[in-house]
Amino acid sequence: MWNSIILQCLLSILLLTLFQAPHYIVYLGSFEGGRPLISGHEDVTRSHHNMISSMSTRDENGVDPLKRLIYSYTKIFNAFAATLHEDEVMELANHPDVISIFESRNVRRQTIHSWDFLSSFQHKSSSSKDSIWEKANYAEDIIIAAFDTGKKLIGARYFVKGFMESVVCLPQESPRDMEGHGTHTLSTAGGNKVWRSGSSTVFRSLGLKNGTIKGGASNARLASYKVLWPECRTPDKQDIGEGSYVDALAAMEAAVTDGVDIINLSMSFASGLLNTMPHDARFYFEDAISIATFHAMTNGILPVVAAGNEGPTPSSVGTVAPWVLTVGASTIDRDFVCYVTLGNNLKIRVCVACILNETTYYPLITGATASVAEADPINASYCVSGTLDPVKVKGRILVCLIGEGPINTEITTSQGYEAVTAGAVGLIIANDQFVGAKLLPDYMMAIPTAHVNFKDGQAIFSYINTTSTPNALITNATTELGIEPSPIVASFSCRGPNIITPDILKPDVIAPGVSIMSAYSKAKVPSSYFPLSARPVDNTENPILDDDPNIHTATPFATGAGLVQPELAMDPGLVYDMNQNDYLFFLCALPGFNATILKTFAKQHTYQCPKSSSLLNFNYPSITISEFTGAATATRRLKNVGEPSTYTARVETPTGISVVVEPKTLIFSQKDQEIPFQLVFSADVSHLPSHYTFGSLVWSDGRHSVRSPIVVKGKSSSTPKTPT
């Protein structure tokens, strides 16, 4: 009897899951005057209920239609999230007050010597009294908000209603960081200054001595908005994501009303979804992050967003709105190095940040050798779920291949899970020929793990195949400083060109994102600290290199304007200043723009689109022309934020393109003065560049250098828009 009841319950749950209406976000634009009165929030929610009731005739499994409302966004923008059916979506799409309606998407994570490294380009110590850190008192009283897996700080909230309805497991409803990524990212930005002993577990395993760890803005106030729940995932459920856009929108609304100064977003939707989005103005009205960050920007908050970990695929960068700072990942001049020592005394140097202890000599076995009888030997080589024989793996160091495709923590975590489940005592992950020498993002493993490139992996496989009793040792790591060249763009960092708006260069800049030592959740490791992961030249004064897939000079599609330089940002001299009207101009210049929508999108502004608008005249600090016809003129304006000075232009022209700056000299007589200038592009129309070509514009007064990347591609080309 009980089995029958349980079966009926499970069947009912399955049917509810199969036939449950998807989650949709209905975006209604701005409020008159920017925000509703405090007493008006209930009225806004009531209007959302009325919209659902007016078009809903369905009895949603016996649930009151009004209970289908998941979130009512009533504070900084007008929107709601609800479960809706297709016919209801179509009806709401025709409602005169609706700007856009789109299905919610699942999102996932994108994841201290680094600060000294950033200061080293100024040849100054970060503790200097003249440093930006000292002048800003390490960002005292600045509030940094992070949307991640949770952490501990001055305030913490969690948002999970949308995600709970899309997954089978029920996450622990708490802002506590059960995974560690959120603690790590936020403490990198604003962690307190603490002293750690070299005898601690992680410090000892990485060869670090006694020392101090701190975040960049160590006096800042930190606020956590937990929207990612990786603890509710399993390695064989990679497609469900770790959070929901409907929860992220609610968290963004809360952060703005809480009065934060900076919002850090380390999340994005899965790779490939960009191709399903509209590639015109509609994207910015149908992408939840673009909508929320626009309203954050209009409230004086800087949104900083990770470029993503889906690189090095071209056009993989997904956070492309010009009102956010999109940051790619690079290495620093420090490596955590360990060795894989084979039984034949061959020592393989490995740059890693995933070892908590070393192994002794253990027998070696490959995934293919350890495959169960019915397993596909090719899949077994990559240690795919269900291919490993525990009898063969137990007590051995397992060697697994990692293959072509986006390199991210999900691949390696899955292999680690399979290795541990099968009883392995260590893991070596070897690149196949398609991955070559690419860098992996840092990841957590439950057993000693090393990642080797294709060449070294082949040496290990050769040793295993020619030795009757192969064995190996994975050593503890040591710390090496002064690595040259650095930085190098990490292969996992997402790349341009911008697939949505090709004339906006993304990412904007790069910053250290590989093997960064910072706080980590004790729920995941036996220590509080763990290493995770704009200037155009590296520490050898040569152009920054790109690990994509072979080391070569990086283009702006990988670096943006280059490595961030905090010291120089303190006194830039000139800036390309932009405000809300500039971003509204940007929307006016996009194909597919609807003037009626703009009025609803920005009700608090009186801005009206000019009769003609072009992205050539959008005051973005980089200049990109993705469909160059042989002649174009781009207009920009520079604002003086320093003392009176005279600046002269210097242009590194893209191959095959002529660029003339008018005027070539800008004379600033006072602070906050703005002066426009033009860049006149020309080329032989019969020899337009068929691929992207790169250059730069530099304004200098002898003390300041203000650099803008230039990117050009000929319109006549029919080849894909990928960098050479």
Side-chain angles (χ1 to χ4, degrees):
M1 175 180 177
W2 283 109
N3 287 340
S4 176
I5 293 174
I6 293 173
L7 181 61
Q8 291 180 34
C9 291
L10 291 175
L11 182 60
S12 298
I13 293 173
L14 176 61
L15 290 173
L16 283 173
T17 302
L18 290 175
F19 295 106
Q20 183 185 46
H23 298 167
Y24 282 88
I25 296 169
V26 182
Y27 179 55
L28 305 167
S30 300
F31 296 107
E32 297 285 356
R35 297 188 190 180
L37 298 174
I38 295 177
S39 59
H41 297 320
E42 293 182 358
D43 292 336
V44 176
T45 299
R46 192 175 299 112
S47 71
H48 297 161
H49 279 142
N50 291 339
M51 289 186 74
I52 296 175
S53 298
S54 65
M55 58 82 203
S56 177
T57 57
R58 294 177 180 268
D59 181 12
E60 185 73 14
N61 300 308
V63 178
D64 184 341
L66 296 185
K67 293 184 179 179
R68 292 162 59 188
L69 183 71
I70 302 172
Y71 285 108
S72 179
Y73 309 108
T74 66
K75 297 181 177 64
I76 63 167
F77 52 85
N78 190 358
F80 64 88
T83 53
L84 301 171
H85 293 279
E86 186 176 349
D87 55 342
E88 297 167 339
V89 171
M90 295 178 64
E91 185 175 343
L92 275 174
N94 294 321
H95 194 287
D97 294 336
V98 173
I99 289 182
S100 59
I101 179 169
F102 50 94
E103 191 170 353
S104 177
R105 294 178 175 86
N106 288 334
V107 294
R108 51 175 56 100
R109 287 161 295 163
Q110 300 291 350
T111 203
I112 271 251
H113 175 73
S114 54
W115 297 110
D116 293 335
F117 172 66
L118 291 179
S119 296
S120 68
F121 290 101
Q122 288 294 98
H123 306 289
K124 295 179 181 179
S125 167
S126 61
S127 61
S128 168
K129 293 182 180 180
D130 295 326
S131 75
I132 183 176
W133 320 111
E134 293 289 340
K135 289 180 179 179
N137 197 19
Y138 295 91
E140 184 176 18
D141 292 334
I142 294 295
I143 301 176
I144 303 174
F147 292 53
D148 212 302
T149 60
K151 47 215 74 87
K152 54 182 186 286
L153 18 91
I154 64 168
R157 297 189 181 202
Y158 67 91
F159 302 83
V160 72
K161 287 197 297 184
F163 185 62
M164 285 182 66
E165 295 189 20
S166 63
V167 296
V168 177
C169 73
L170 296 179
Q172 179 182 347
E173 294 188 52
S174 164
R176 184 185 182 195
D177 184 4
M178 300 300 295
E179 193 276 339
H181 186 269
T183 301
H184 192 278
T185 55
L186 194 54
S187 60
T188 299
N192 291 333
K193 185 176 181 179
V194 295
W195 185 87
R196 298 298 295 176
S197 168
S199 63
S200 66
T201 303
V202 174
F203 271 49
R204 185 177 66 254
S205 68
L206 296 175
L208 289 169
K209 299 179 180 179
N210 298 345
T212 298
I213 299 179
K214 66 177 181 63
S218 55
N219 286 346
R221 302 172 189 269
L222 309 181
S224 169
Y225 298 83
K226 184 174 181 180
V227 295
L228 297 176
W229 306 84
E231 65 266 29
C232 201
R233 301 181 66 200
T234 57
D236 58 341
K237 295 291 184 182
Q238 303 290 345
D239 58 337
I240 65 171
E242 298 169 336
S244 169
Y245 261 166
V246 301
D247 296 324
L249 277 177
M252 186 78 71
E253 183 179 60
V256 173
T257 55
D258 287 345
V260 305
D261 299 294
I262 298 173
I263 287 176
N264 178 72
L265 287 165
S266 296
M267 64 183 184
S268 71
F269 45 74
S271 176
L273 283 181
L274 279 180
N275 291 320
T276 68
M277 300 284 284
H279 291 183
D280 54 27
R282 292 173 298 163
F283 171 85
Y284 299 98
F285 302 117
E286 297 182 14
D287 172 56
I289 296 301
S290 294
I291 291 171
T293 52
F294 178 88
H295 289 285
M297 176 274 298
T298 61
N299 281 272
I301 298 169
L302 172 65
V304 182
V305 185
N309 293 344
E310 307 297 332
T313 306
S315 294
S316 53
V317 60
T319 309
V320 297
W323 46 80
V324 305
L325 182 66
T326 306
V327 185
S330 75
T331 64
I332 60 174
D333 63 341
R334 178 189 63 194
D335 278 344
F336 296 122
V337 178
C338 78
Y339 289 89
V340 173
T341 304
L342 304 181
N344 60 1
N345 294 323
L346 175 64
K347 294 182 68 175
I348 297 174
R349 184 179 185 273
V350 185
C351 297
V352 295
C354 57
I355 296 178
L356 295 181
N357 57 340
E358 68 179 357
T359 68
T360 57
Y361 277 97
Y362 284 103
L364 275 174
I365 190 169
T366 68
T369 305
S371 63
V372 295
E374 65 273 15
D376 182 342
I378 295 179
N379 284 335
S381 297
Y382 293 86
C383 301
V384 174
S385 177
T387 62
L388 299 178
D389 186 348
V391 174
K392 298 177 180 178
V393 174
K394 186 176 181 180
R396 295 175 179 262
I397 296 176
L398 177 67
V399 185
C400 300
L401 282 174
I402 185 169
E404 186 179 20
I407 299 178
N408 53 48
T409 56
E410 293 170 0
I411 297 175
T412 53
T413 301
S414 177
Q415 290 179 328
Y417 174 83
E418 296 299 327
V420 171
T421 302
V425 294
L427 176 63
I428 298 173
I429 299 174
N431 290 351
D432 68 9
Q433 60 181 329
F434 297 104
V435 181
K438 295 176 185 175
L439 291 172
L440 280 169
D442 297 294
Y443 47 91
M444 292 296 302
M445 291 296 192
I447 54 177
T449 304
H451 168 237
V452 300
N453 61 32
F454 173 68
K455 179 182 177 181
D456 291 333
Q458 290 303 295
I460 294 174
F461 288 123
S462 175
Y463 166 68
I464 293 174
N465 294 331
T466 57
T467 306
S468 58
T469 57
N471 56 72
L473 161 72
I474 301 176
T475 70
N476 272 337
T478 59
T479 299
E480 296 183 3
L481 298 175
I483 301 298
E484 293 183 345
S486 60
I488 295 175
V489 180
S491 91
F492 60 81
S493 184
C494 282
R495 308 305 205 271
N498 181 338
I499 194 174
I500 302 298
T501 310
D503 288 341
I504 298 297
L505 179 65
K506 290 288 181 175
D508 295 296
V509 293
I510 56 172
V514 178
S515 298
I516 305 303
M517 180 65 71
S518 190
Y520 211 80
S521 171
K522 286 190 176 181
K524 291 292 289 185
V525 296
S527 175
S528 299
Y529 291 85
F530 197 82
L532 284 183
S533 348
R535 151 185 166 111
V537 296
D538 59 29
N539 58 357
T540 68
E541 298 300 323
N542 291 307
I544 293 174
L545 298 179
D546 189 350
D547 186 17
D548 172 31
N550 302 307
I551 300 295
H552 61 83
T553 300
T555 74
F557 289 140
T559 65
L563 184 73
V564 294
Q565 299 181 86
E567 294 285 355
L568 293 184
M570 188 73 175
D571 179 24
L574 304 177
V575 296
Y576 291 86
D577 197 19
M578 286 187 287
N579 56 33
Q580 299 163 8
N581 286 349
D582 288 289
Y583 295 121
L584 295 175
F585 172 88
F586 162 79
L587 294 172
C588 294
L590 296 178
F593 170 75
N594 184 315
T596 303
I597 287 179
L598 184 69
K599 293 180 181 179
T600 309
F601 181 65
K603 288 180 181 177
Q604 70 270 39
H605 305 294
T606 58
Y607 183 83
Q608 292 185 347
C609 290
K611 292 183 179 179
S612 63
S613 53
S614 167
L615 289 181
L616 285 169
N617 302 324
F618 177 50
N619 204 42
Y620 211 61
S622 57
I623 301 100
T624 304
I625 308 176
S626 62
E627 295 189 344
F628 183 53
T629 59
T633 300
T635 301
R636 295 291 190 273
R637 65 181 189 274
L638 280 165
K639 183 176 183 177
N640 181 36
V641 293
E643 298 298 322
S645 191
T646 299
Y647 287 81
T648 302
R650 183 179 75 253
V651 179
E652 179 187 344
T653 58
T655 303
I657 306 292
S658 171
V659 183
V660 177
V661 183
E662 299 177 350
K664 192 172 182 179
T665 300
L666 301 179
I667 302 174
F668 293 93
S669 59
Q670 59 187 8
K671 190 175 182 180
D672 294 331
Q673 180 184 0
E674 282 192 298
I675 301 179
F677 67 91
Q678 292 183 327
L679 293 94
V680 181
F681 295 82
S682 60
D684 183 348
V685 294
S686 61
H687 294 89
L688 296 177
S690 59
H691 296 278
Y692 280 106
T693 181
F694 309 97
S696 64
L697 165 67
V698 178
W699 289 97
S700 177
D701 66 348
R703 179 165 172 256
H704 306 93
S705 291
V706 182
R707 181 180 179 276
S708 296
I710 298 175
V711 181
V712 181
K713 179 178 178 294
K715 184 177 182 179
S716 60
S717 172
S718 60
T719 56
K721 295 179 180 178
T722 53
T724 57

